[in-house]
PDB file of all heavy atoms in Angstrom:
ATOM      1  N   GLU A 824     211.920  21.543 -13.712  1.00  0.00           N
ATOM      2  CA  GLU A 824     212.431  20.225 -13.373  1.00  0.00           C
ATOM      3  C   GLU A 824     213.184  20.325 -12.044  1.00  0.00           C
ATOM      4  O   GLU A 824     213.524  21.412 -11.585  1.00  0.00           O
ATOM      5  CB  GLU A 824     213.357  19.713 -14.477  1.00  0.00           C
ATOM      6  CG  GLU A 824     212.663  19.502 -15.817  1.00  0.00           C
ATOM      7  CD  GLU A 824     213.627  18.967 -16.866  1.00  0.00           C
ATOM      8  OE1 GLU A 824     214.699  18.470 -16.467  1.00  0.00           O
ATOM      9  OE2 GLU A 824     213.316  19.077 -18.059  1.00  0.00           O
ATOM     10  N   THR A 825     213.426  19.175 -11.441  1.00  0.00           N
ATOM     11  CA  THR A 825     214.088  19.164 -10.129  1.00  0.00           C
ATOM     12  C   THR A 825     215.577  19.456 -10.281  1.00  0.00           C
ATOM     13  O   THR A 825     216.269  18.776 -11.055  1.00  0.00           O
ATOM     14  CB  THR A 825     213.898  17.800  -9.447  1.00  0.00           C
ATOM     15  OG1 THR A 825     212.496  17.555  -9.283  1.00  0.00           O
ATOM     16  CG2 THR A 825     214.597  17.773  -8.083  1.00  0.00           C
ATOM     17  N   TYR A 826     216.035  20.459  -9.600  1.00  0.00           N
ATOM     18  CA  TYR A 826     217.443  20.839  -9.475  1.00  0.00           C
ATOM     19  C   TYR A 826     218.155  20.883 -10.826  1.00  0.00           C
ATOM     20  O   TYR A 826     219.016  20.066 -11.148  1.00  0.00           O
ATOM     21  CB  TYR A 826     218.189  19.885  -8.532  1.00  0.00           C
ATOM     22  CG  TYR A 826     219.495  20.496  -8.031  1.00  0.00           C
ATOM     23  CD1 TYR A 826     219.489  21.600  -7.193  1.00  0.00           C
ATOM     24  CD2 TYR A 826     220.723  19.968  -8.416  1.00  0.00           C
ATOM     25  CE1 TYR A 826     220.673  22.159  -6.745  1.00  0.00           C
ATOM     26  CE2 TYR A 826     221.910  20.524  -7.982  1.00  0.00           C
ATOM     27  CZ  TYR A 826     221.886  21.621  -7.141  1.00  0.00           C
ATOM     28  OH  TYR A 826     223.055  22.174  -6.726  1.00  0.00           O
ATOM     29  N   VAL A 827     217.732  21.855 -11.630  1.00  0.00           N
ATOM     30  CA  VAL A 827     218.415  22.111 -12.904  1.00  0.00           C
ATOM     31  C   VAL A 827     218.973  23.529 -12.850  1.00  0.00           C
ATOM     32  O   VAL A 827     218.382  24.429 -12.228  1.00  0.00           O
ATOM     33  CB  VAL A 827     217.463  21.937 -14.096  1.00  0.00           C
ATOM     34  CG1 VAL A 827     217.095  20.480 -14.266  1.00  0.00           C
ATOM     35  CG2 VAL A 827     216.213  22.797 -13.941  1.00  0.00           C
ATOM     36  N   PRO A 828     220.114  23.793 -13.516  1.00  0.00           N
ATOM     37  CA  PRO A 828     220.738  25.121 -13.462  1.00  0.00           C
ATOM     38  C   PRO A 828     220.092  26.092 -14.451  1.00  0.00           C
ATOM     39  O   PRO A 828     219.723  25.709 -15.565  1.00  0.00           O
ATOM     40  CB  PRO A 828     222.198  24.842 -13.811  1.00  0.00           C
ATOM     41  CG  PRO A 828     222.154  23.611 -14.651  1.00  0.00           C
ATOM     42  CD  PRO A 828     220.992  22.801 -14.177  1.00  0.00           C
ATOM     43  N   TYR A 829     219.965  27.339 -14.044  1.00  0.00           N
ATOM     44  CA  TYR A 829     219.456  28.408 -14.878  1.00  0.00           C
ATOM     45  C   TYR A 829     220.464  29.560 -14.917  1.00  0.00           C
ATOM     46  O   TYR A 829     221.165  29.822 -13.919  1.00  0.00           O
ATOM     47  CB  TYR A 829     218.134  28.945 -14.331  1.00  0.00           C
ATOM     48  CG  TYR A 829     216.927  28.080 -14.616  1.00  0.00           C
ATOM     49  CD1 TYR A 829     216.617  27.002 -13.798  1.00  0.00           C
ATOM     50  CD2 TYR A 829     216.101  28.346 -15.703  1.00  0.00           C
ATOM     51  CE1 TYR A 829     215.518  26.199 -14.054  1.00  0.00           C
ATOM     52  CE2 TYR A 829     214.993  27.558 -15.961  1.00  0.00           C
ATOM     53  CZ  TYR A 829     214.704  26.486 -15.140  1.00  0.00           C
ATOM     54  OH  TYR A 829     213.610  25.710 -15.402  1.00  0.00           O
ATOM     55  N   GLU A 830     220.527  30.238 -16.061  1.00  0.00           N
ATOM     56  CA  GLU A 830     221.269  31.495 -16.150  1.00  0.00           C
ATOM     57  C   GLU A 830     220.300  32.637 -15.845  1.00  0.00           C
ATOM     58  O   GLU A 830     219.183  32.672 -16.379  1.00  0.00           O
ATOM     59  CB  GLU A 830     221.869  31.669 -17.539  1.00  0.00           C
ATOM     60  CG  GLU A 830     222.912  30.612 -17.886  1.00  0.00           C
ATOM     61  CD  GLU A 830     223.383  30.737 -19.321  1.00  0.00           C
ATOM     62  OE1 GLU A 830     222.605  31.241 -20.158  1.00  0.00           O
ATOM     63  OE2 GLU A 830     224.518  30.334 -19.617  1.00  0.00           O
ATOM     64  N   ILE A 831     220.746  33.556 -15.002  1.00  0.00           N
ATOM     65  CA  ILE A 831     219.860  34.636 -14.536  1.00  0.00           C
ATOM     66  C   ILE A 831     220.622  35.950 -14.644  1.00  0.00           C
ATOM     67  O   ILE A 831     221.818  36.018 -14.354  1.00  0.00           O
ATOM     68  CB  ILE A 831     219.429  34.415 -13.066  1.00  0.00           C
ATOM     69  CG1 ILE A 831     218.866  33.010 -12.868  1.00  0.00           C
ATOM     70  CG2 ILE A 831     218.424  35.461 -12.631  1.00  0.00           C
ATOM     71  CD1 ILE A 831     218.698  32.631 -11.412  1.00  0.00           C
ATOM     72  N   LYS A 832     219.915  37.015 -15.051  1.00  0.00           N
ATOM     73  CA  LYS A 832     220.480  38.368 -15.002  1.00  0.00           C
ATOM     74  C   LYS A 832     219.349  39.350 -14.722  1.00  0.00           C
ATOM     75  O   LYS A 832     218.161  39.018 -14.876  1.00  0.00           O
ATOM     76  CB  LYS A 832     221.207  38.715 -16.292  1.00  0.00           C
ATOM     77  CG  LYS A 832     220.340  38.678 -17.549  1.00  0.00           C
ATOM     78  CD  LYS A 832     221.167  38.996 -18.794  1.00  0.00           C
ATOM     79  CE  LYS A 832     220.309  38.947 -20.058  1.00  0.00           C
ATOM     80  NZ  LYS A 832     221.109  39.299 -21.277  1.00  0.00           N
ATOM     81  N   ILE A 833     219.728  40.557 -14.315  1.00  0.00           N
ATOM     82  CA  ILE A 833     218.738  41.544 -13.879  1.00  0.00           C
ATOM     83  C   ILE A 833     219.201  42.927 -14.281  1.00  0.00           C
ATOM     84  O   ILE A 833     220.405  43.178 -14.473  1.00  0.00           O
ATOM     85  CB  ILE A 833     218.518  41.468 -12.351  1.00  0.00           C
ATOM     86  CG1 ILE A 833     217.276  42.244 -11.933  1.00  0.00           C
ATOM     87  CG2 ILE A 833     219.751  41.936 -11.596  1.00  0.00           C
ATOM     88  CD1 ILE A 833     216.883  42.024 -10.485  1.00  0.00           C
ATOM     89  N   GLN A 834     218.226  43.823 -14.406  1.00  0.00           N
ATOM     90  CA  GLN A 834     218.499  45.214 -14.762  1.00  0.00           C
ATOM     91  C   GLN A 834     217.459  46.107 -14.092  1.00  0.00           C
ATOM     92  O   GLN A 834     216.271  45.781 -14.078  1.00  0.00           O
ATOM     93  CB  GLN A 834     218.444  45.378 -16.283  1.00  0.00           C
ATOM     94  CG  GLN A 834     218.676  46.787 -16.788  1.00  0.00           C
ATOM     95  CD  GLN A 834     218.374  46.900 -18.279  1.00  0.00           C
ATOM     96  OE1 GLN A 834     217.281  46.546 -18.719  1.00  0.00           O
ATOM     97  NE2 GLN A 834     219.346  47.371 -19.047  1.00  0.00           N
ATOM     98  N   ALA A 835     217.922  47.214 -13.503  1.00  0.00           N
ATOM     99  CA  ALA A 835     217.010  48.199 -12.921  1.00  0.00           C
ATOM    100  C   ALA A 835     216.663  49.248 -13.976  1.00  0.00           C
ATOM    101  O   ALA A 835     217.491  49.592 -14.825  1.00  0.00           O
ATOM    102  CB  ALA A 835     217.652  48.867 -11.708  1.00  0.00           C
ATOM    103  N   ARG A 836     215.427  49.781 -13.891  1.00  0.00           N
ATOM    104  CA  ARG A 836     214.971  50.759 -14.883  1.00  0.00           C
ATOM    105  C   ARG A 836     214.010  51.722 -14.210  1.00  0.00           C
ATOM    106  O   ARG A 836     213.230  51.339 -13.329  1.00  0.00           O
ATOM    107  CB  ARG A 836     214.287  50.039 -16.047  1.00  0.00           C
ATOM    108  CG  ARG A 836     213.705  50.937 -17.110  1.00  0.00           C
ATOM    109  CD  ARG A 836     213.012  50.134 -18.202  1.00  0.00           C
ATOM    110  NE  ARG A 836     213.951  49.402 -19.017  1.00  0.00           N
ATOM    111  CZ  ARG A 836     214.536  49.897 -20.108  1.00  0.00           C
ATOM    112  NH1 ARG A 836     214.265  51.140 -20.495  1.00  0.00           N
ATOM    113  NH2 ARG A 836     215.352  49.168 -20.806  1.00  0.00           N
ATOM    114  N   ASN A 837     214.055  52.986 -14.601  1.00  0.00           N
ATOM    115  CA  ASN A 837     213.059  53.969 -14.160  1.00  0.00           C
ATOM    116  C   ASN A 837     212.576  54.760 -15.369  1.00  0.00           C
ATOM    117  O   ASN A 837     212.862  54.383 -16.523  1.00  0.00           O
ATOM    118  CB  ASN A 837     213.629  54.871 -13.059  1.00  0.00           C
ATOM    119  CG  ASN A 837     214.821  55.693 -13.516  1.00  0.00           C
ATOM    120  OD1 ASN A 837     215.048  55.870 -14.713  1.00  0.00           O
ATOM    121  ND2 ASN A 837     215.592  56.198 -12.563  1.00  0.00           N
ATOM    122  N   GLU A 838     211.867  55.857 -15.125  1.00  0.00           N
ATOM    123  CA  GLU A 838     211.285  56.609 -16.239  1.00  0.00           C
ATOM    124  C   GLU A 838     212.335  57.227 -17.156  1.00  0.00           C
ATOM    125  O   GLU A 838     212.054  57.566 -18.299  1.00  0.00           O
ATOM    126  CB  GLU A 838     210.378  57.726 -15.698  1.00  0.00           C
ATOM    127  CG  GLU A 838     209.050  57.221 -15.151  1.00  0.00           C
ATOM    128  CD  GLU A 838     208.128  58.360 -14.774  1.00  0.00           C
ATOM    129  OE1 GLU A 838     208.549  59.529 -14.884  1.00  0.00           O
ATOM    130  OE2 GLU A 838     206.996  58.089 -14.358  1.00  0.00           O
ATOM    131  N   PHE A 839     213.579  57.394 -16.630  1.00  0.00           N
ATOM    132  CA  PHE A 839     214.605  58.070 -17.425  1.00  0.00           C
ATOM    133  C   PHE A 839     215.478  57.097 -18.201  1.00  0.00           C
ATOM    134  O   PHE A 839     216.297  57.516 -19.009  1.00  0.00           O
ATOM    135  CB  PHE A 839     215.488  58.921 -16.512  1.00  0.00           C
ATOM    136  CG  PHE A 839     214.744  60.036 -15.845  1.00  0.00           C
ATOM    137  CD1 PHE A 839     214.265  59.889 -14.549  1.00  0.00           C
ATOM    138  CD2 PHE A 839     214.499  61.220 -16.505  1.00  0.00           C
ATOM    139  CE1 PHE A 839     213.572  60.906 -13.927  1.00  0.00           C
ATOM    140  CE2 PHE A 839     213.810  62.243 -15.888  1.00  0.00           C
ATOM    141  CZ  PHE A 839     213.341  62.099 -14.596  1.00  0.00           C
ATOM    142  N   GLY A 840     215.357  55.805 -17.957  1.00  0.00           N
ATOM    143  CA  GLY A 840     216.167  54.853 -18.700  1.00  0.00           C
ATOM    144  C   GLY A 840     216.540  53.648 -17.852  1.00  0.00           C
ATOM    145  O   GLY A 840     216.005  53.438 -16.754  1.00  0.00           O
ATOM    146  N   ALA A 841     217.478  52.858 -18.407  1.00  0.00           N
ATOM    147  CA  ALA A 841     217.851  51.586 -17.771  1.00  0.00           C
ATOM    148  C   ALA A 841     219.287  51.650 -17.279  1.00  0.00           C
ATOM    149  O   ALA A 841     220.140  52.336 -17.851  1.00  0.00           O
ATOM    150  CB  ALA A 841     217.690  50.437 -18.759  1.00  0.00           C
TER     151      ALA A 841
END
Side-chain angles (χ1 to χ4, degrees):
E824 296 181 17
T825 301
Y826 199 67
V827 291
Y829 283 84
E830 296 174 333
I831 309 168
K832 60 182 179 178
I833 193 171
Q834 179 190 54
R836 177 182 290 271
N837 62 18
E838 286 186 357
F839 296 97

